[in-house]
């Protein structure tokens, strides 16, 4: 059993496969790093993770829309979604005023950007949405 007080999960580069299910339910979670595996399915909304600052799910096989409620987690500072099969919009980031690093390159995002996203660029150190289908 994984303790509910777990604050940092890093299982990067392990060739793990499957869905991540309950990993998005830990209340004290501050960072989740799953990059370089073979996870698939939907990204959880992480609604119970009010202290979450870092999400790195790069280079997996996640698909579908990123849950819009992810944008309600105002503590998020670092998100990398690179190298998956995500579609839809990235507008969920427009409420994340503390965001400094956002990488959604190499996906299939396909909805136009909201003009308010460009206002966030002044505070960011890194913003990459290359290799998508954003209109």
């Amino acid at each position: 059993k994984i303790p509910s007080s777990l604050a940092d999960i890093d299982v990067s580069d392990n060739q793990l496969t499957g869905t991540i299910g309950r990993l998005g339910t830990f209340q004290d979670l501050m960072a989740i790093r799953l990059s370089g595996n073979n996870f698939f399915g939907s990204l959880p909304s992480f609604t119970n993770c009010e202290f979450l600052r870092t999400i790195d799910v790069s280079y997996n096989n996640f698909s579908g829309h990123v849950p819009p409620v992810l944008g309600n987690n105002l503590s998020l500072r670092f998100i990398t979604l690179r190298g998956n099969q995500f579609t839809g919009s990235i507008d969920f980031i427009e409420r994340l005023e503390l965001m400094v690093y956002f990488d959604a390159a190499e996906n299939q995002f396909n909805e136009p950007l909201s003009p308010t996203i460009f206002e966030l660029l002044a505070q960011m150190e890194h913003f990459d949405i290359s290799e998508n289908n954003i209109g």
Side-chain angles (χ1 to χ4, degrees):
K1 182 176 179 180
I2 300 173
S4 62
S5 61
L6 190 65
D8 192 338
I9 297 172
D10 188 345
V11 296
S12 299
D13 301 315
N14 277 294
Q15 302 305 311
L16 299 173
T17 191
T19 60
I20 61 172
R22 294 192 50 229
L23 286 182
T25 63
F26 296 109
Q27 244 178 335
D28 296 329
L29 192 62
M30 295 178 71
I32 185 162
R33 296 174 185 91
L34 308 175
S35 65
N37 286 291
N38 294 306
F39 291 114
F40 57 87
S42 305
L43 192 65
S45 61
F46 298 102
T47 52
N48 293 333
C49 306
E50 65 181 282
F51 305 109
L52 189 62
R53 291 190 175 108
T54 300
I55 297 174
D56 182 355
V57 296
S58 58
Y59 298 109
N60 278 284
N61 293 304
F62 289 108
S63 60
H65 291 205
V66 174
V69 296
L70 196 61
N72 294 340
N73 190 331
L74 302 180
S75 62
L76 278 169
R77 293 187 172 109
F78 178 100
I79 298 177
T80 181
L81 309 171
R82 177 184 284 266
N84 283 283
Q85 310 289 321
F86 291 116
T87 59
S89 171
I90 63 166
D91 287 351
F92 67 92
I93 70 167
E94 61 190 6
R95 292 183 305 278
L96 301 176
E97 295 176 359
L98 298 176
M99 178 71 58
V100 294
Y101 188 101
F102 182 74
D103 189 337
E106 300 175 32
N107 277 284
Q108 298 172 14
F109 288 106
N110 55 359
E111 293 185 18
L113 297 177
S114 165
T116 56
I117 287 179
F118 294 103
E119 295 171 14
L120 290 173
L121 295 180
Q123 75 197 30
M124 290 196 180
E125 297 171 11
H126 180 89
F127 180 81
D128 189 348
I129 57 171
S130 61
E131 298 183 53
N132 278 285
N133 298 312
I134 296 173

